[in-house]
Amino acid sequence: MIFPYIYQKLGFTKQQADVLSNKEEYTKLAKSLGILVPNTYTDIKQANYPLIAKPVNGTGSIGIKVLKDYSEYFFFATGEDIQYNDLGKYYIFQDFIDGMTISCAGRIVDGEILFDCSYTIESSELPYRAETGFVLVPNLDTDDVLKLDMAKLIGALGIDNCAWMADYIYSNGKFYLVDFSPRMSVSAQVLIKHSANVDYNKIVLDSMLYKDKTEVNLKKCVVYRYFDLIKGNYSIKYNGAEIADEIVLPSTQTYMKRMDMLMPFLGYAVTSGVHLLEAEDKWNDVLSNIHITKLN
């Protein structure tokens, strides 16, 4: 909701800000450039189910809902099941594409596009597809396809300096762009930190302030995943050396925050390894050593 104002403060032109803060507009732009996007509608009567309803101005997963048929749309439209107060904005509807969610992130420095990483996103069973986990495997074969898309889109927007991130759905050998934003990806920040052993925040800041074009050298596979555990007091005890790069145990809470609204569990662990299987085994080992001491 505040993106248009932030973009203008950051030096984006009004034309750039108007496109970047409106999912319908940058989806139209991407389609005109030959980038695959889901069929997009503002009139529900033109669409076929299942659909995904999205607030047009972007909310970071809040308010996004899969609609399987008209009865679900009616329930959604009446406000009975709505997760987002749109404050006068409207929704767009896109064809639901069943596939793997892939995100990529990077920087633009003096017009040069730097592609820092791509990773898969694990979605929950909740209807608004909240993100529950992220997996990074360095040098995916898909990167070349995504790099071409980003070169087209960023070039058409005429952006010179900023961080960027984009989300895709991969299905039947095709990549469909579903989100683009000129900001740093929080999940990419964590994944790059543990894969490349660098402070990605500092790299992005140096790129913006000093036009530094330092490349990110990814070295390890990383699993960054939330625990599917009820709230409570937890402890962890390893048999031997600690295996998590980073861990936050689930805990009791009396206040509300975004993750509380989207997911019925808290806490996460980040593990890494030369091979993905090693990182996955470590994460599962962390989970098996977590013990609840007291329920809420």
Side-chain angles (χ1 to χ4, degrees), residues 131-134 224-228 259 263 265-269 283:
E131 299 166 346
T132 60
F134 314 90
Y224 167 27
R225 187 177 293 141
Y226 290 92
F227 299 122
D228 188 4
M259 284 301 178
M263 290 178 279
F265 48 86
L266 294 169
Y268 65 87
W283 197 92

Side-chain angles (χ1 to χ4, degrees), residues 207-241:
S207 294
M208 302 303 100
L209 293 179
Y210 310 116
K211 306 301 183 287
D212 181 66
K213 298 181 180 180
T214 298
E215 292 188 7
V216 171
N217 181 21
L218 302 175
K219 301 174 183 176
K220 296 188 292 184
C221 299
V222 180
V223 174
Y224 167 27
R225 187 177 293 141
Y226 290 92
F227 299 122
D228 188 4
L229 298 170
I230 62 173
K231 293 181 185 179
N233 292 326
Y234 288 87
S235 63
I236 187 164
K237 185 179 293 185
Y238 291 115
N239 297 320

Side-chain angles (χ1 to χ4, degrees), residues 152-251:
K152 291 179 185 177
L153 185 57
I154 292 169
L157 287 165
I159 304 173
D160 292 324
N161 295 287
C162 73
W164 60 268
M165 57 79 61
D167 291 336
Y168 286 81
I169 299 296
Y170 178 73
S171 178
N172 295 323
K174 297 179 180 179
F175 295 88
Y176 296 85
L177 179 69
V178 293
D179 193 17
F180 175 81
S181 185
R183 64 172 177 83
M184 186 174 72
S185 165
V186 176
S187 48
Q189 168 195 338
V190 176
L191 294 167
I192 289 172
K193 171 185 175 182
H194 295 290
S195 178
N197 193 30
V198 296
D199 184 344
Y200 190 55
N201 282 328
K202 185 177 186 304
I203 288 176
V204 170
L205 188 61
D206 287 347
S207 294
M208 302 303 100
L209 293 179
Y210 310 116
K211 306 301 183 287
D212 181 66
K213 298 181 180 180
T214 298
E215 292 188 7
V216 171
N217 181 21
L218 302 175
K219 301 174 183 176
K220 296 188 292 184
C221 299
V222 180
V223 174
Y224 167 27
R225 187 177 293 141
Y226 290 92
F227 299 122
D228 188 4
L229 298 170
I230 62 173
K231 293 181 185 179
N233 292 326
Y234 288 87
S235 63
I236 187 164
K237 185 179 293 185
Y238 291 115
N239 297 320
E242 292 189 1
I243 52 179
D245 294 37
E246 184 178 337
I247 184 169
V248 173
L249 291 175
S251 61

Side-chain angles (χ1 to χ4, degrees), residues 273-292:
V274 176
H275 304 290
L276 179 58
L277 183 59
E278 179 185 359
E280 286 280 8
D281 286 346
K282 286 182 178 179
W283 197 92
N284 290 324
D285 201 7
V286 170
L287 180 62
S288 66
N289 281 281
I290 294 176
H291 307 284
I292 191 165

Side-chain angles (χ1 to χ4, degrees), residues 30-221:
K31 187 174 182 179
S32 73
L33 297 169
I35 298 171
L36 284 177
V37 295
N39 292 324
T40 304
Y41 319 88
T42 54
D43 183 356
I44 193 73
K45 295 176 182 178
Q46 297 178 356
N48 296 313
Y49 294 92
L51 290 171
I52 293 185
K54 299 179 179 181
V56 70
N57 55 338
T59 54
S61 295
I62 298 174
I64 294 177
K65 184 172 178 62
V66 177
L67 307 175
K68 296 178 182 178
D69 52 40
Y70 181 76
S71 64
E72 289 198 351
Y73 166 69
F74 182 78
F75 190 51
F76 170 78
T78 58
E80 297 297 324
D81 192 33
I82 203 164
Q83 300 292 327
Y84 167 62
N85 181 355
D86 59 10
L87 299 180
K89 296 294 182 178
Y90 61 95
Y91 284 77
I92 63 170
F93 303 92
Q94 291 185 326
D95 288 347
F96 174 80
I97 298 173
D98 191 11
M100 179 187 299
T101 305
I102 296 178
S103 189
C104 54
R107 295 158 285 148
I108 310 163
V109 185
D110 271 351
E112 181 179 342
I113 302 170
L114 302 176
F115 190 99
D116 290 330
C117 74
S118 66
Y119 53 96
T120 59
I121 297 176
E122 299 169 352
S123 300
S124 77
E125 296 298 321
L126 297 178
Y128 26 78
R129 296 170 63 86
E131 299 166 346
T132 60
F134 314 90
V135 176
L136 182 150
V137 178
N139 304 316
L140 286 175
D141 293 338
T142 60
D143 287 356
D144 289 340
V145 177
L146 308 186
K147 287 175 184 177
L148 288 174
D149 278 2
M150 290 300 99
K152 291 179 185 177
L153 185 57
I154 292 169
L157 287 165
I159 304 173
D160 292 324
N161 295 287
C162 73
W164 60 268
M165 57 79 61
D167 291 336
Y168 286 81
I169 299 296
Y170 178 73
S171 178
N172 295 323
K174 297 179 180 179
F175 295 88
Y176 296 85
L177 179 69
V178 293
D179 193 17
F180 175 81
S181 185
R183 64 172 177 83
M184 186 174 72
S185 165
V186 176
S187 48
Q189 168 195 338
V190 176
L191 294 167
I192 289 172
K193 171 185 175 182
H194 295 290
S195 178
N197 193 30
V198 296
D199 184 344
Y200 190 55
N201 282 328
K202 185 177 186 304
I203 288 176
V204 170
L205 188 61
D206 287 347
S207 294
M208 302 303 100
L209 293 179
Y210 310 116
K211 306 301 183 287
D212 181 66
K213 298 181 180 180
T214 298
E215 292 188 7
V216 171
N217 181 21
L218 302 175
K219 301 174 183 176
K220 296 188 292 184
C221 299

